Amino acid sequence: MSAAELELIADIGGTNARFALTDPTATTPQLLQSQSLENADFASLQHAAEHYLQSVGAQPRRAAIALACPVNTDDIRLTNRAWSFSRNELRQSLGLDELLLLNDFGAVAWSVPALQADDRIALYGPVQSGLQGPVSVLGPGTGFGVGLLVAADDHGWHAVETEGGHVSFAPLGDEEQAIARWLNARHGRVSYERLLSGSGLACIDAVLRGTVDATGGVSDLRDPAAVVAAALDGHDAFARRALARFCGILGSVAGDVALIHGARTMMIAGGIIPRFVPFLRSSAFRERFLSKGRFAAYLESVSVQVVTHPNPGLLGAAVALRRGGKTGVAHE
């Protein structure tokens, strides 16, 4: 297939913009000539997309772009990056006949049925012979995303986009109360995204090390990758406490989401968790996931898995484009 017949797919987060091409005639969705660009190097999504298309010599007519923000209006604003655009203007600028926009975790949800066995790791719960829905999809990265995958009798699987990562944090115990008080002083409100993200892990670490003040200020905020590395190394007690607290909070909200969605499967994605799956498995995640009173037994039957595919957002965008989804589509 010529470059002109290939289609553009993208997954735009707060830190990185991932692009690839896909062949709509292939038997299964494939990611071709994928690239990851740093958002800080570009003034806008349009400039990043133009740079990618020029580098691969492609002029696609259709595209699907997953974005870390709501996509239900013509004017789009990323939640964790100062990029904004009009969907119709972007379609015209890129020379597209059709542009499909998806929420980033809506795209991850679309990817789940297309994942292969080696694209995921079983964490807890029963080992399933096939994918059982509803499927809750969540995960921390630059932000914290939540999506839902359900099966419709007439059309197969269907992804439901949500902004569940922005619900209010429910702290448990004195340590989480202290973290919540400091984040509230800093932001005025504490959502799960304020903790279950790269910056959130850094904040948890800073509070536990005592490098913050009561007004929301901080004197030493470590890079989240450094916190993870120090925790896994095993010699930094504060980093291990921070990562353990992070995993426990993730377990709590994952259990809540599973109850809200009536999930039979929980897929944990995002850019952070695959880096420390053994640590997560040995943490309080499972205890906090099941700590829902009378519904602990219900949650024991939920299959919890970690997505290890390197680009589930791109894969999901390719799946959604193949299905010809109409939500968030701009046409010429």
Side-chain angles (χ1 to χ4, degrees):
M1 171 168 278
S2 70
E5 296 174 290
L6 296 174
E7 299 176 340
L8 174 67
I9 49 177
D11 180 18
I12 313 300
T15 303
N16 298 302
R18 298 175 177 86
F19 295 94
L21 300 174
T22 189
D23 180 354
T25 66
T27 304
T28 59
Q30 304 292 326
L31 308 183
L32 309 173
Q33 302 189 62
S34 60
Q35 291 184 20
S36 180
L37 308 177
E38 292 189 12
N39 293 354
D41 293 337
F42 300 92
S44 68
L45 170 57
Q46 178 185 333
H47 292 157
E50 289 172 342
H51 174 87
Y52 169 75
L53 292 173
Q54 183 177 17
S55 72
V56 297
Q59 294 181 314
R61 306 305 299 176
R62 300 178 74 229
I65 300 178
L67 298 148
C69 63
V71 294
N72 56 351
T73 63
D74 182 68
D75 293 320
I76 307 297
R77 297 180 182 274
L78 266 70
T79 303
N80 293 305
R81 168 62 53 175
W83 282 0
S84 60
F85 62 92
S86 158
R87 90 172 59 232
N88 279 303
E89 289 178 3
L90 180 64
R91 179 189 59 76
Q92 294 171 8
S93 298
L94 296 181
L96 300 168
D97 295 331
E98 180 181 331
L99 172 61
L100 170 65
L101 300 184
L102 307 96
N103 172 266
D104 60 339
F105 263 75
V108 174
W110 276 119
S111 78
V112 171
L115 295 175
Q116 302 301 310
D118 57 356
D119 292 329
R120 54 194 180 188
I121 296 173
L123 198 65
Y124 300 111
V127 176
Q128 302 170 341
S129 58
L131 184 63
Q132 296 182 19
V135 182
S136 293
V137 183
L138 57 78
T142 302
F144 180 63
V146 177
L148 172 64
L149 187 71
V150 295
D153 292 339
D154 51 348
H155 297 297
W157 292 105
H158 179 72
V160 180
E161 300 180 351
T162 86
E163 290 297 330
H166 298 281
V167 301
S168 297
F169 170 51
L172 298 178
D174 294 342
E175 194 166 82
E176 290 181 16
Q177 292 283 357
I179 295 168
R181 283 194 298 270
W182 181 75
L183 284 169
N184 188 66
R186 189 173 178 86
H187 299 291
R189 176 180 178 267
V190 186
S191 68
Y192 275 103
E193 179 166 281
R194 295 296 188 190
L195 297 103
L196 297 178
S197 57
S199 61
L201 175 60
C203 288
I204 294 171
D205 171 69
V207 173
L208 297 184
R209 287 188 294 118
T211 61
V212 301
D213 60 47
T215 65
V218 58
S219 59
D220 180 20
L221 196 65
R222 293 198 282 186
D223 182 84
V227 176
V228 172
L232 299 183
D233 180 65
H235 293 91
D236 187 323
F238 285 115
R240 289 189 69 82
R241 280 179 62 196
L243 191 58
R245 182 60 58 187
F246 182 95
C247 292
I249 294 169
L250 179 63
S252 281
V253 70
D256 289 341
V257 168
L259 290 176
I260 292 168
H261 288 170
R264 306 314 308 145
T265 305
M266 167 72 63
M267 305 295 292
I268 303 174
I272 295 180
I273 297 301
R275 303 177 189 179
F276 52 85
V277 172
F279 189 100
L280 177 67
R281 185 177 279 119
S282 64
S283 74
F285 175 94
R286 180 64 166 172
E287 177 186 349
R288 295 279 293 264
F289 181 82
L290 297 176
S291 184
K292 305 300 176 185
R294 294 170 292 171
F295 279 82
Y298 173 90
L299 290 171
E300 285 181 346
S301 67
V302 176
S303 174
V304 182
Q305 304 175 38
V306 175
V307 176
T308 57
H309 189 286
N311 290 300
L314 287 179
L315 178 61
V319 172
L321 192 58
R322 279 173 168 252
R323 289 179 57 89
K326 299 302 180 183
T327 300
V329 179
H331 293 280
E332 184 175 22

